[in-house]
């Protein structure tokens, strides 16, 4: 296997292993966005499809968030820059001077968004 197929297979294998190890009850992923480069958007769509498949097969509840929703949950402003999001991720998770890649920061920001929304839903249910 070469190229895109091999990378998608790797994503599938690694995500499946993580799901089997940690057995999440929720699976959060960023919604499709329209990038400037159609080819990159198409490839990202393939990878996203694989991730959704792993989530669906796991039985976990799947949540999808737009980039604006994620930025708003982390920074409090839906038009925040990547550097602002990365900075707030470090602050919220008490990571100090840790170096985060853009992908790590993105993944953690989605997790923070999901945690915030789950907390809000729990509070809403408990107030009734």
């Amino acid at each position: 296997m070469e190229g895109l197929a091999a990378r998608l297979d790797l994503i599938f294998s690694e995500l499946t292993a993580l799901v089997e190890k940690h057995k999440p009850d929720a699976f959060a992923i960023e919604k499709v966005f329209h990038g400037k480069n159609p080819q990159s958007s198409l490839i990202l769509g393939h990878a996203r499809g694989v991730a959704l498949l792993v989530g669906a097969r796991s039985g976990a509840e799947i949540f999808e968030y737009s980039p604006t929703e994620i930025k708003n949950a982390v920074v409090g402003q839906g038009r925040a820059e990547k550097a602002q999001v990365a900075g707030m991720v470090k602050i919220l998770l008490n990571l100090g001077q840790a170096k985060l890649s853009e992908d790590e920061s993105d993944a953690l920001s989605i997790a923070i968004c999901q945690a915030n929304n789950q907390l809000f839903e729990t509070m809403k249910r408990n107030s009734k």
Side-chain angles (χ1 to χ4, degrees), residues 2-123:
E2 292 184 18
L4 179 60
R7 290 187 306 228
L8 294 175
D9 183 60
L10 179 63
I11 291 168
F12 180 82
S13 298
E14 293 292 325
L15 279 178
T16 298
L18 285 169
V19 166
E20 288 172 358
K21 180 179 180 181
H22 298 287
K23 301 185 182 357
D25 56 3
F27 207 87
I29 191 165
E30 188 172 359
K31 286 181 182 175
V32 173
F33 64 94
H34 303 286
K36 295 176 184 172
N37 182 333
Q39 183 66 23
S40 295
S41 294
L42 182 61
I43 292 170
L44 181 61
H46 291 315
R48 190 176 174 282
V50 169
L52 285 169
L53 174 63
V54 172
R57 284 187 168 189
S58 76
E61 190 171 2
I62 297 173
F63 297 88
E64 297 180 75
Y65 300 103
S66 71
T68 302
E69 288 174 301
I70 295 164
K71 291 174 182 179
N72 195 44
V74 175
V75 180
Q77 211 273 55
R79 299 254 183 237
E81 298 292 326
K82 286 237 182 230
Q84 290 173 292
V85 174
M88 280 305 295
V89 164
K90 286 183 186 182
I91 291 168
L92 292 170
L93 299 178
N94 197 27
L95 297 177
Q97 298 301 315
K99 300 281 187 209
L100 294 177
S101 72
E102 193 172 292
D103 290 338
E104 290 168 331
S105 178
D106 287 350
L108 290 170
S109 66
I110 295 166
I112 291 167
C113 180
Q114 171 59 23
N116 286 346
N117 282 329
Q118 212 164 3
L119 178 61
F120 178 74
E121 288 301 318
T122 301
M123 289 170 58

